[in-house]
Amino acid sequence: MNGSKEITRRNFMKTTGAGLFLTGLYCTLPMPAWALTTSPGIEQRTPKSRYDFTIGYSPVQIDGREGTATAINGTVPGPLLHLREGGDVTLNVTSRLMDTEHASIHWHGILVPFRMDGVPGVNFNGIQPGETYEYRYRVKQAGTYWYHSHSRFQEQTGAYGPLIIEPKNGEPFDYDRDYPVVLSDWSFEDPETIFRHINLMGHYYNFQRRTIWDFFEDVGERGFADPISERMAWGKMRMSPVDLADVTAYTYTYLMNGHSPDMNWTAIFNPGETVRLRFINASATTNYDVRIPGLDMEVVMADGKAVRPVSVHEFRIGVAETYDVLVRPMKDQAFTIFAESLDRSGYGRGTLAPEPGMKAPVPALRPRPVRRLEDIGMGGMLHGNMKDMSHSQMDHGSKASLDDPRIPGPNGPTPFKPEKSRSNVEMVITNPTYRLDEPGIGLGKDGWRVLTYDDLVSIEPQPYSATVDREMTINITANMERYMFSFDGKKFTQHPCPYLFRHNERLRLFLVNHTMMEHPIHLHGMWMQLENGADKLPFKHTILTKPGEVLSVLITPIEKGDWAFHCHLLYHMEAGMFQVVRVA
Ligand SMILES: [Cu+2]
């Protein structure tokens, strides 16, 4: 493919000519009050018990270019939804998207009765054009969350916003300023076009494929035998070693609170203050690596739930995850909030500054990481017999990873045997590894401290039984070449039976990632407690699983009904990595 950029025009996508360039100073975009270009932070907020949302097409302007968003109350991101723990809330959501099948809002990470969860086809019929749906529920938790449309690609085009819940009994830490930091990815291309492109050619937006020149460079650095055998191994699997993201900066502008890097969203502080930053990854497909050069970050919440504070310099935030961090800038200077995309094709950027208009240097993008076979738990393959390595069954045999004492028993994950007839499964990892202690590909070698899932220790009450009643395994599967994404080898459109959870049982669920990509796996309606060896297991609504990884979570299904379980990469979900969990 060559580099010429195609601009498609669907009815609602309007683009204006190039050459017009505006910075944030001249930006006249409607922005929600919580996301002004220069913000003092969200003030003493009063939680409300009733909200009215209207989803409609609205113009947005990013770096001087105009596009059309599926905006909530006219802005991208949408309004700050501010609730109180223990209170009842009524949310009226109206759709003015007259050409759509339906619209919806899902309250991500919020424990609600299943009719209020907002997934069309699972919990309700969706909101028909011109109609209003009334959501009502009691708020049973506190912390930082978000909301988004669960209808087709509306989330990609702007239907998302922050959701903050005031705790009944005060916060477990002190701070002077409070900022939501909503990360997202914006494209002027119609997402239907993006989806068509990546379906036809998985690497459409990827110009970072390794070339023959990279190969000779490797030979120079590492000698001949290794690169050749590694290249052969990748070739045999029909995969590129650079599958880091399907959709990249080629089409995306990465946004922080609706602002492009040039628009430079700025949070004000007084030196010596403690600033709470509520990072929310509201992207459609972009996993970010976040750091603030010059400042330590203290991670105090993950997915809305308090954790023992961990001091780090960088953290990876998968799509749909949230992290609350505290920073304490002492100096009278500006600091860059830098959110680099996992594939290193671009970044989101904002500034922490004592005065409006101040800036700090923006770091260079780091080199894109190269995925090696070791990274997907197959390092030993290079030394094995290449002939035995079909693309459907691989066993590296160098490390008996399932004997790892960190993988809980008694039985461990059930071995996966895909149906032979299905083309949905490109590879099966027979010996997945424990990887919760790894920061993830491309991280951990810069000389600063990066958060891992093993660092997360809950400091929340543990309301659920400690005794495990049952074990179950779900395999994360794909055929990347054909852009097929599935669970246990079945796409959602193939109508697999729902996964059955028993009401109030204590379930250990193993997730095994048989693909070579990270997938942020999200379960609606109940917490997943990640078994990372902590004495109090952290609560998660979304878990970024690594290639070749096995991990386990403990779940207590507290609400009966049907719940969505899916990859939160929007295009993977639409390509079939979606399932229904039935709690009965
Ligand atoms: Cu995925």
Side-chain angles (χ1 to χ4, degrees):
M1 206 196 95
N2 67 31
S4 71
K5 188 153 178 168
E6 183 194 351
I7 312 253
T8 52
R9 289 158 197 277
R10 243 177 115 219
N11 294 340
F12 73 87
M13 288 302 255
K14 284 185 233 113
T15 56
T16 59
L20 187 64
F21 185 78
L22 298 176
T23 68
L25 290 177
Y26 306 106
C27 173
T28 53
L29 280 184
M31 273 294 174
W34 64 269
L36 298 176
T37 301
T38 301
S39 172
I42 46 182
E43 290 291 321
Q44 283 300 312
R45 306 169 305 272
T46 322
K48 291 202 297 177
S49 56
R50 188 202 148 107
Y51 283 85
D52 296 303
F53 281 6
T54 299
I55 312 179
Y57 296 114
S58 284
V60 292
Q61 211 181 51
I62 291 161
D63 291 344
R65 205 169 148 193
E66 199 166 289
T68 301
T70 50
I72 299 166
N73 294 359
T75 64
V76 176
L80 173 65
L81 182 50
H82 185 220
L83 308 177
R84 187 193 302 279
E85 182 182 10
D88 291 314
V89 64
T90 303
L91 302 124
N92 292 304
V93 180
T94 303
S95 172
R96 300 233 182 281
L97 305 173
M98 303 316 285
D99 59 346
T100 58
E101 205 184 318
H102 50 68
S104 54
I105 296 288
H106 161 63
W107 321 98
H108 187 104
I110 309 299
L111 307 179
V112 295
F114 89 101
R115 289 288 173 205
M116 298 294 122
D117 197 49
V119 182
V122 177
N123 312 121
F124 75 142
N125 294 325
I127 308 166
Q128 313 310 309
E131 297 199 335
T132 301
Y133 187 81
E134 183 187 75
Y135 295 85
R136 268 170 183 280
Y137 51 87
R138 175 154 297 171
V139 182
K140 297 184 197 159
Q141 65 207 97
T144 303
Y145 302 89
W146 64 298
Y147 60 83
H148 60 85
S149 169
H150 229 289
S151 295
R152 194 61 173 168
F153 299 130
Q154 289 163 19
E155 181 192 300
Q156 172 79 87
T157 46
Y160 53 81
L163 194 170
I164 289 175
I165 308 170
E166 292 298 312
K168 247 185 333 208
N169 303 316
E171 298 284 3
F173 41 82
D174 294 321
Y175 51 95
D176 304 299
R177 297 206 188 228
D178 187 353
Y179 291 100
V181 185
V182 175
L183 305 171
S184 63
D185 43 24
W186 171 265
S187 173
F188 288 96
E189 277 184 292
D190 183 336
E192 296 289 349
T193 308
I194 295 178
F195 194 50
R196 203 170 57 241
H197 284 157
I198 50 184
N199 267 282
L200 288 172
M201 195 192 297
H203 294 101
Y204 187 93
Y205 296 101
N206 238 303
F207 302 104
Q208 304 189 18
R209 287 192 85 158
R210 306 196 73 213
T211 65
I212 191 73
W213 304 111
D214 294 331
F215 171 67
F216 284 123
E217 233 170 68
D218 281 2
V219 171
E221 276 171 22
R222 299 163 62 195
F224 214 73
D226 232 14
I228 282 199
S229 54
E230 186 156 343
R231 183 138 297 232
M232 281 171 64
W234 285 113
K236 196 106 181 174
M237 290 190 289
R238 293 180 298 119
M239 293 171 196
S240 151
V242 196
D243 281 305
L244 300 167
D246 303 326
V247 190
T248 68
Y250 175 63
T251 188
Y252 278 151
T253 304
Y254 299 111
L255 303 182
M256 190 176 288
N257 289 344
H259 293 69
S260 72
D262 283 337
M263 290 159 75
N264 192 23
W265 175 76
T266 299
I268 299 297
F269 69 90
N270 291 321
E273 284 179 336
T274 299
V275 182
R276 178 184 192 170
L277 300 171
R278 302 172 185 257
F279 286 95
I280 298 167
N281 190 346
S283 297
T285 73
T286 307
N287 300 309
Y288 284 104
D289 296 329
V290 176
R291 64 192 208 266
I292 306 175
L295 289 182
D296 290 354
M297 297 185 285
E298 193 173 60
V299 176
V300 290
M301 280 189 175
D303 287 6
K305 298 289 254 182
V307 293
R308 197 166 69 196
V310 196
S311 181
V312 300
H313 299 110
E314 185 169 24
F315 61 89
R316 172 160 291 170
I317 183 167
V319 170
E321 290 188 297
T322 77
Y323 284 106
D324 286 45
V325 309
L326 302 180
V327 293
R328 297 180 180 88
M330 303 304 292
K331 291 190 198 145
D332 192 11
Q333 67 169 74
F335 299 90
T336 295
I337 306 171
F338 192 62
E340 197 175 8
S341 68
L342 182 152
D343 72 312
R344 308 292 180 246
S345 69
Y347 61 87
R349 170 247 190 164
T351 300
L352 268 172
E355 304 278 344
M358 288 175 75
K359 284 178 200 169
V362 178
L365 290 170
R366 287 169 288 189
R368 66 173 155 60
V370 173
R371 204 165 317 263
R372 301 195 182 280
L373 291 169
E374 298 92 279
D375 299 326
I376 55 168
M378 289 190 188
M381 217 167 77
L382 295 181
H383 313 295
N385 185 347
M386 301 288 286
K387 268 191 298 194
D388 292 344
M389 191 189 59
S390 78
H391 68 271
S392 63
Q393 282 283 343
M394 280 176 275
D395 184 354
H396 65 74
S398 64
K399 221 170 34 167
S401 54
L402 287 176
D403 295 338
D404 191 323
R406 294 174 298 179
I407 299 171
N411 303 318
T414 313
F416 178 48
K417 299 210 167 38
E419 291 168 42
K420 282 268 176 283
S421 58
R422 301 232 185 250
S423 56
N424 294 347
V425 180
E426 193 168 36
M427 67 173 179
V428 174
I429 307 261
T430 50
N431 230 342
T433 47
Y434 182 94
R435 314 192 69 174
L436 298 179
D437 56 341
E438 299 174 25
I441 187 165
L443 292 182
K445 292 185 180 127
D446 296 287
W448 56 68
R449 189 165 146 58
V450 187
L451 184 75
T452 71
Y453 276 165
D454 260 4
D455 294 327
L456 302 177
V457 180
S458 179
I459 55 167
E460 298 265 355
Q462 306 283 311
Y464 306 124
S465 154
T467 314
V468 176
D469 301 313
R470 191 165 72 98
E471 291 189 343
M472 178 177 172
T473 304
I474 295 181
N475 297 285
I476 299 163
T477 48
N479 185 338
M480 319 262 258
E481 194 85 350
R482 297 176 182 221
Y483 212 76
M484 287 175 173
F485 292 86
S486 51
F487 288 121
D488 293 328
K490 294 193 180 82
K491 302 202 296 178
F492 187 55
T493 48
Q494 292 167 328
H495 305 296
C497 296
Y499 291 122
L500 298 176
F501 287 7
R502 291 182 204 127
H503 188 226
N504 286 331
E505 72 173 332
R506 192 61 167 161
L507 173 70
R508 169 173 289 135
L509 175 65
F510 289 100
L511 296 175
V512 184
N513 185 345
H514 296 273
T515 79
M516 49 167 301
M517 285 185 86
E518 287 75 13
H519 299 278
I521 301 297
H522 174 44
L523 174 60
H524 292 221
M526 62 206 93
W527 287 110
M528 300 184 279
Q529 284 189 273
L530 187 59
E531 292 196 283
N532 63 351
D535 53 338
K536 288 170 108 185
L537 301 178
F539 295 81
K540 296 284 290 165
H541 48 61
T542 309
I543 294 173
L544 187 62
T545 63
K546 299 182 183 81
E549 177 173 64
V550 56
L551 59 80
S552 59
V553 294
L554 295 180
I555 297 169
T556 300
I558 53 166
E559 285 281 347
K560 292 184 182 174
D562 284 356
W563 301 96
F565 174 82
H566 61 94
C567 176
H568 224 285
L569 300 179
L570 187 57
Y571 302 103
H572 288 189
M573 177 174 80
E574 285 297 302
M577 206 177 261
F578 183 97
Q579 245 293 27
V580 172
V581 164
R582 181 159 295 160
V583 177

